Amino acid sequence: MPDYTVHIMQLREDNYYNGLKLGRSLRNQPILKTFEAATKPEIDTEQLKSIYNEFAPQLLSELEGLAEGLEMPFPKAAALLGGYDVPKIAAMGCSAMITPSYYVRNYDFTPAFYDGYFTAAQPEQGLATVGYNLQAIGRHDGVNEKGLAAGLHFVSFDGYRTGLSPWVGVRMILESCATVEEVSYMLRHIPHAACYNFSIGDARGNMAVVEASPDQVITRAGGEAAIACVNHYEALTGKNRPSIEHSLGRKRYIDGLNATQLTQIEAFGLFKERESPLFFTDYDDLFGTLHTFSYAFEEGRVMTSLAQGSALDFSFRDWVEGKDIPAAELTGHID
């Protein structure tokens, strides 16, 4: 049962320097070879800059810092890590539950395409955020200083086109949005490459699933109790994959939980424990649980762990106030 490790990065400089530091850390890491095999050698860099400048100009500065830290020309770094015009990547699975009190989610895929970074960042521009990196600049999931939590969920490649990856979409959401309404607006205007769900919860107790496809975006607001988000559409059903039984089964399980009676700790345990119906070990088939992430809206508390690993438990509000996370890495175990 091999171990795997995620490095915890804590960045409090300007956007360019934060990118520079991450680039230096990534330099010569094996994951770069994986990215090279999964991305194009060249993209329309000017189009990428135009999109970034419209939705998150500060991330363009970070991408420039990444390029310098990696010691590569900006066009190459943009193609490798910019999250724009990325070829189809094998489907990933994710399950989330959002209530007015907390957000909790599992990320399921393969460790072969896993950055291995958990980053807390407080840049000069953009909101302070914490979450798991994907393709360096993007995020699987996370939360920002306004208490907005978000995560991505693959649905299908129906209508696939040149556009932004959902992990850069998550990063843009966290960098600039405070409410579900603001997220819904941004996701209606971002050029999406593929079909993904975005699970969203905010500090006002609002929750939603945004069904985002290349040609249509619909927001499904949650009720007073809870909302589940998995890997199929409930409104744009014609865009689902032919077989969604796995996703339907996970949603039935989450819907059957008495979510509002669960504490954050209890819900976190239901997602992270190996015996959970939401925990999977099919790593060779691209469906193994890699991490669990949770946030409590009122307390500002982050709980997270890697598969079969110990939990990291800290106040993100305290981190924003200057109290560093007292850990350098997370460790998980894969069967």
Side-chain angles (χ1 to χ4, degrees):
M1 186 166 67
D3 291 350
Y4 68 109
T5 300
V6 165
H7 303 285
I8 298 174
M9 296 200 74
Q10 304 187 65
L11 307 175
R12 300 185 188 270
E13 307 291 339
D14 62 60
N15 302 83
Y16 182 88
Y17 184 79
N18 286 347
L20 178 68
K21 187 173 180 180
L22 177 58
R24 287 172 175 168
S25 179
L26 276 169
R27 195 190 307 160
N28 301 320
Q29 293 293 323
I31 189 64
L32 290 178
K33 294 294 184 183
T34 303
F35 292 151
E36 286 178 3
T39 57
K40 298 179 178 180
E42 295 180 358
I43 62 168
D44 186 339
T45 306
E46 292 307 310
Q47 184 61 26
L48 175 142
K49 289 180 178 179
S50 175
I51 295 170
Y52 270 56
N53 279 324
E54 180 177 359
F55 296 103
Q58 69 277 7
L59 295 187
L60 191 57
S61 296
E62 182 173 325
L63 191 55
E64 291 169 347
L66 266 170
E68 180 174 333
L70 290 167
E71 298 181 348
M72 66 175 58
F74 178 81
K76 181 178 179 180
L80 187 67
L81 303 172
Y84 176 75
D85 197 10
V86 177
K88 296 177 183 178
I89 296 173
M92 56 189 77
C94 312
S95 306
M97 181 170 69
I98 313 104
T99 77
S101 299
Y102 59 80
Y103 174 101
V104 60
R105 144 190 166 92
N106 276 357
Y107 173 69
D108 309 304
F109 197 39
T110 170
F113 202 84
Y114 195 58
D115 283 35
Y117 286 90
F118 180 73
T119 299
Q122 190 174 37
E124 290 186 354
Q125 294 181 299
L127 298 172
T129 65
V130 64
Y132 285 89
N133 297 47
L134 177 50
Q135 207 181 3
I137 206 167
R139 295 292 183 268
H140 292 281
D141 39 43
V143 68
N144 66 25
E145 64 180 278
K146 299 295 185 180
L148 181 112
L152 59 82
H153 307 251
F154 175 77
V155 173
S156 76
F157 289 119
D158 185 271
Y160 184 84
R161 69 177 183 185
T162 299
L164 277 182
S165 67
W167 43 93
V168 171
V170 170
R171 180 71 188 279
M172 289 180 172
I173 288 166
L174 294 176
E175 287 277 326
S176 55
C177 297
T179 66
V180 166
E181 184 178 10
E182 291 175 3
V183 171
S184 180
Y185 178 85
M186 176 173 276
L187 289 178
R188 287 199 304 271
H189 292 83
I190 287 175
H192 300 281
C195 296
Y196 275 79
N197 281 322
F198 292 83
S199 52
I200 311 294
D202 67 30
R204 299 179 181 180
N206 301 312
M207 47 196 166
V209 172
V210 180
E211 299 185 1
S213 75
D215 61 359
Q216 194 173 5
V217 177
I218 291 178
T219 299
R220 294 190 290 106
E224 296 182 359
I227 188 170
C229 184
V230 283
N231 299 105
H232 65 274
Y233 286 155
E234 295 188 17
L236 304 176
T237 55
K239 299 179 182 297
N240 285 331
R241 285 168 285 174
S243 177
I244 58 172
E245 284 306 312
H246 198 291
S247 181
L248 289 169
R250 284 179 281 128
K251 186 176 187 301
R252 283 193 294 268
Y253 173 76
I254 295 172
D255 286 343
L257 297 173
N258 194 354
T260 57
Q261 299 301 310
L262 297 173
T263 66
Q264 180 196 18
I265 295 174
E266 290 168 336
F268 181 73
L270 285 175
F271 274 68
K272 79 173 289 289
E273 296 303 326
R274 194 183 187 286
E275 297 75 21
S276 169
L278 300 173
F279 189 102
F280 300 95
T281 58
D282 305 323
Y283 298 99
D284 291 339
D285 294 325
L286 309 181
F287 210 100
T289 300
L290 292 171
H291 71 244
T292 303
F293 177 85
S294 177
Y295 180 75
F297 297 109
E298 185 174 346
E299 297 85 358
R301 178 185 189 182
V302 170
M303 296 183 69
T304 190
S305 69
L306 303 188
Q308 303 185 71
S310 299
L312 174 67
D313 186 344
F314 67 97
S315 167
F316 185 54
R317 290 177 188 162
D318 287 351
W319 188 89
V320 172
E321 294 299 317
K323 183 179 179 180
D324 282 348
I325 299 168
E329 64 182 30
L330 294 163
T331 302
H333 313 277
I334 293 176
D335 290 337

